[in-house]
Short mmCIF file of all heavy atoms in Angstrom, two decimals:
data_model
loop_
_atom_site.label_atom_id
_atom_site.label_comp_id
_atom_site.label_asym_id
_atom_site.label_seq_id
_atom_site.Cartn_x
_atom_site.Cartn_y
_atom_site.Cartn_z
N LEU A 1233 121.45 60.72 108.92
CA LEU A 1233 121.86 59.43 109.47
C LEU A 1233 123.36 59.39 109.77
O LEU A 1233 123.80 58.67 110.67
CB LEU A 1233 121.48 58.30 108.50
CG LEU A 1233 119.98 58.07 108.33
CD1 LEU A 1233 119.74 57.01 107.26
CD2 LEU A 1233 119.33 57.67 109.63
N TYR A 1235 125.01 61.53 111.24
CA TYR A 1235 125.25 62.09 112.57
C TYR A 1235 124.48 61.36 113.67
O TYR A 1235 124.65 61.67 114.84
CB TYR A 1235 124.88 63.57 112.58
CG TYR A 1235 125.74 64.41 111.67
CD1 TYR A 1235 125.21 64.95 110.50
CD2 TYR A 1235 127.08 64.63 111.96
CE1 TYR A 1235 126.00 65.71 109.66
CE2 TYR A 1235 127.88 65.39 111.12
CZ TYR A 1235 127.33 65.93 109.98
OH TYR A 1235 128.11 66.68 109.15
N VAL A 1239 127.22 62.84 119.69
CA VAL A 1239 126.91 63.78 120.77
C VAL A 1239 126.84 65.20 120.21
O VAL A 1239 127.69 65.61 119.41
CB VAL A 1239 127.97 63.69 121.89
CG1 VAL A 1239 127.73 64.75 122.95
CG2 VAL A 1239 127.96 62.30 122.51
N GLU A 1246 120.83 81.42 114.13
CA GLU A 1246 121.14 82.48 113.17
C GLU A 1246 119.84 83.05 112.61
O GLU A 1246 118.87 82.32 112.42
CB GLU A 1246 121.96 81.92 112.00
CG GLU A 1246 123.23 81.25 112.42
CD GLU A 1246 124.46 82.03 112.03
OE1 GLU A 1246 124.35 82.94 111.20
OE2 GLU A 1246 125.52 81.71 112.58
N ARG A 1250 114.38 89.84 116.75
CA ARG A 1250 113.64 90.26 117.94
C ARG A 1250 113.61 89.18 119.01
O ARG A 1250 113.59 89.48 120.20
CB ARG A 1250 112.21 90.63 117.55
CG ARG A 1250 112.12 91.91 116.73
CD ARG A 1250 110.68 92.28 116.42
NE ARG A 1250 109.95 91.24 115.69
CZ ARG A 1250 109.95 91.09 114.37
NH1 ARG A 1250 110.63 91.92 113.63
NH2 ARG A 1250 109.27 90.14 113.80
N GLU A 1261 114.29 70.87 122.25
CA GLU A 1261 114.63 69.72 123.10
C GLU A 1261 116.11 69.38 123.04
O GLU A 1261 116.66 68.83 124.00
CB GLU A 1261 113.83 68.49 122.67
CG GLU A 1261 112.34 68.60 122.88
CD GLU A 1261 111.60 67.38 122.37
OE1 GLU A 1261 112.21 66.31 122.18
OE2 GLU A 1261 110.37 67.49 122.15
N ARG A 1263 119.99 69.47 123.32
CA ARG A 1263 120.88 70.11 124.29
C ARG A 1263 122.30 69.62 124.04
O ARG A 1263 122.51 68.49 123.58
CB ARG A 1263 120.51 69.74 125.73
CG ARG A 1263 119.11 70.14 126.16
CD ARG A 1263 119.08 71.60 126.57
NE ARG A 1263 117.76 71.99 127.02
CZ ARG A 1263 116.89 72.70 126.29
NH1 ARG A 1263 117.21 73.07 125.08
NH2 ARG A 1263 115.72 73.02 126.76
N GLY A 1265 125.48 67.82 124.80
CA GLY A 1265 125.70 66.64 125.62
C GLY A 1265 124.73 65.51 125.33
O GLY A 1265 125.00 64.36 125.66
N LEU A 1266 123.59 65.83 124.69
CA LEU A 1266 122.64 64.78 124.30
C LEU A 1266 123.10 64.16 122.99
O LEU A 1266 123.82 64.76 122.20
CB LEU A 1266 121.23 65.34 124.12
CG LEU A 1266 120.49 65.79 125.38
CD1 LEU A 1266 119.12 66.34 124.99
CD2 LEU A 1266 120.35 64.65 126.37
N ALA A 1270 117.44 62.58 114.59
CA ALA A 1270 116.69 63.37 113.61
C ALA A 1270 115.27 63.66 114.10
O ALA A 1270 114.72 64.74 113.85
CB ALA A 1270 116.65 62.65 112.26
N ARG A 1274 113.23 67.28 114.33
CA ARG A 1274 111.90 67.60 113.79
C ARG A 1274 111.01 68.19 114.89
O ARG A 1274 110.27 69.14 114.64
CB ARG A 1274 111.26 66.37 113.18
CG ARG A 1274 111.81 66.03 111.80
CD ARG A 1274 111.01 64.92 111.11
NE ARG A 1274 111.34 63.60 111.64
CZ ARG A 1274 112.40 62.90 111.27
NH1 ARG A 1274 113.23 63.38 110.38
NH2 ARG A 1274 112.64 61.71 111.77
N ARG A 1282 105.57 76.66 116.98
CA ARG A 1282 104.51 76.93 117.97
C ARG A 1282 104.71 78.25 118.68
O ARG A 1282 103.77 78.81 119.23
CB ARG A 1282 104.44 75.79 118.99
CG ARG A 1282 103.63 74.64 118.50
CD ARG A 1282 103.31 73.64 119.62
NE ARG A 1282 103.22 72.34 119.03
CZ ARG A 1282 104.12 71.37 119.14
NH1 ARG A 1282 105.18 71.53 119.89
NH2 ARG A 1282 103.97 70.22 118.53
N GLY A 1284 105.13 80.94 117.27
CA GLY A 1284 104.37 81.90 116.48
C GLY A 1284 105.18 83.07 115.96
O GLY A 1284 104.61 84.00 115.39
N VAL A 1300 128.69 66.69 116.92
CA VAL A 1300 127.90 67.33 115.88
C VAL A 1300 127.48 68.73 116.35
O VAL A 1300 127.23 68.95 117.53
CB VAL A 1300 126.67 66.47 115.50
CG1 VAL A 1300 125.72 66.30 116.65
CG2 VAL A 1300 125.95 67.02 114.30
N THR A 1303 122.85 74.04 113.82
CA THR A 1303 122.61 75.46 113.63
C THR A 1303 121.16 75.64 113.20
O THR A 1303 120.71 75.06 112.21
CB THR A 1303 123.54 76.05 112.55
OG1 THR A 1303 124.90 75.77 112.91
CG2 THR A 1303 123.36 77.56 112.44
N ILE A 1312 103.61 93.90 112.34
CA ILE A 1312 102.85 95.06 111.91
C ILE A 1312 103.10 96.13 112.97
O ILE A 1312 102.69 95.99 114.11
CB ILE A 1312 101.35 94.73 111.79
CG1 ILE A 1312 101.14 93.67 110.72
CG2 ILE A 1312 100.54 95.99 111.48
CD1 ILE A 1312 99.75 93.08 110.68
N THR A 1313 103.82 97.17 112.57
CA THR A 1313 104.23 98.19 113.55
C THR A 1313 103.37 99.44 113.47
O THR A 1313 103.47 100.29 114.34
CB THR A 1313 105.71 98.57 113.34
OG1 THR A 1313 105.90 98.99 112.00
CG2 THR A 1313 106.62 97.38 113.64
N VAL A 1315 99.25 100.77 112.14
CA VAL A 1315 97.96 100.49 111.53
C VAL A 1315 97.31 101.84 111.20
O VAL A 1315 97.26 102.73 112.04
CB VAL A 1315 97.04 99.69 112.48
CG1 VAL A 1315 95.68 99.46 111.84
CG2 VAL A 1315 97.68 98.36 112.84
N GLY A 1319 88.92 105.54 104.29
CA GLY A 1319 87.54 105.32 103.86
C GLY A 1319 86.53 105.31 104.99
O GLY A 1319 85.33 105.22 104.73
N LYS A 1321 84.13 106.95 107.30
CA LYS A 1321 83.46 108.23 107.51
C LYS A 1321 82.43 108.12 108.63
O LYS A 1321 82.22 109.08 109.37
CB LYS A 1321 82.79 108.68 106.21
CG LYS A 1321 83.79 109.02 105.11
CD LYS A 1321 83.08 109.37 103.82
CE LYS A 1321 84.04 109.70 102.71
NZ LYS A 1321 84.99 108.68 102.35
N LYS A 1322 81.81 106.99 108.76
CA LYS A 1322 80.73 106.82 109.74
C LYS A 1322 81.24 106.39 111.11
O LYS A 1322 80.54 106.55 112.11
CB LYS A 1322 79.71 105.78 109.24
CG LYS A 1322 79.10 106.13 107.91
CD LYS A 1322 78.35 107.43 107.97
CE LYS A 1322 77.76 107.77 106.61
NZ LYS A 1322 77.20 109.10 106.56
N GLU A 1325 88.17 107.14 113.73
CA GLU A 1325 89.40 106.35 113.86
C GLU A 1325 89.65 105.94 115.31
O GLU A 1325 90.10 104.82 115.57
CB GLU A 1325 90.59 107.14 113.33
CG GLU A 1325 91.87 106.33 113.33
CD GLU A 1325 93.02 107.01 112.63
OE1 GLU A 1325 92.80 107.74 111.65
OE2 GLU A 1325 94.17 106.78 113.06
N MET A 1339 101.34 94.37 116.16
CA MET A 1339 100.54 93.16 116.23
C MET A 1339 101.13 92.11 115.32
O MET A 1339 101.86 92.40 114.38
CB MET A 1339 99.08 93.44 115.86
CG MET A 1339 98.85 93.77 114.41
SD MET A 1339 97.11 94.09 114.04
CE MET A 1339 96.66 92.61 113.19
N TYR A 1355 80.43 97.75 112.20
CA TYR A 1355 79.69 98.41 111.12
C TYR A 1355 78.31 97.79 110.97
O TYR A 1355 77.33 98.50 110.73
CB TYR A 1355 80.48 98.35 109.80
CG TYR A 1355 81.39 99.53 109.61
CD1 TYR A 1355 82.73 99.47 109.95
CD2 TYR A 1355 80.91 100.73 109.08
CE1 TYR A 1355 83.57 100.56 109.79
CE2 TYR A 1355 81.74 101.83 108.91
CZ TYR A 1355 83.07 101.74 109.26
OH TYR A 1355 83.89 102.83 109.10
N GLU A 1357 76.47 96.48 113.30
CA GLU A 1357 75.65 96.99 114.41
C GLU A 1357 75.12 98.39 114.10
O GLU A 1357 74.04 98.75 114.57
CB GLU A 1357 76.47 97.04 115.70
CG GLU A 1357 76.77 95.69 116.30
CD GLU A 1357 77.74 95.77 117.48
OE1 GLU A 1357 78.01 96.90 117.97
OE2 GLU A 1357 78.24 94.71 117.89
N HIS A 1361 75.67 96.70 106.94
CA HIS A 1361 75.91 95.26 106.79
C HIS A 1361 76.74 94.93 105.56
O HIS A 1361 77.32 93.85 105.48
CB HIS A 1361 74.58 94.51 106.73
CG HIS A 1361 73.78 94.61 107.99
ND1 HIS A 1361 74.01 93.80 109.07
CD2 HIS A 1361 72.80 95.47 108.36
CE1 HIS A 1361 73.18 94.13 110.04
NE2 HIS A 1361 72.45 95.14 109.65
N PRO A 1367 92.46 94.56 103.90
CA PRO A 1367 93.79 94.83 104.45
C PRO A 1367 94.83 95.00 103.33
O PRO A 1367 94.85 94.22 102.38
CB PRO A 1367 94.08 93.57 105.28
CG PRO A 1367 93.31 92.50 104.59
CD PRO A 1367 92.09 93.16 103.99
N ASP A 1374 111.42 102.88 106.95
CA ASP A 1374 112.49 102.77 107.95
C ASP A 1374 112.82 101.32 108.28
O ASP A 1374 113.59 101.06 109.20
CB ASP A 1374 112.14 103.54 109.21
CG ASP A 1374 110.84 103.04 109.87
OD1 ASP A 1374 110.28 102.03 109.41
OD2 ASP A 1374 110.41 103.66 110.85
#
Side-chain angles (χ1 to χ4, degrees):
L1233 292 175
Y1235 296 110
V1239 175
E1246 303 250 345
R1250 291 182 302 274
E1261 294 177 19
R1263 300 278 182 258
L1266 290 179
R1274 283 189 283 279
R1282 277 192 211 106
V1300 63
T1303 305
I1312 297 170
T1313 56
V1315 177
K1321 293 176 180 59
K1322 302 299 180 189
E1325 185 172 327
M1339 70 180 254
Y1355 270 96
E1357 288 172 12
H1361 296 277
D1374 60 6

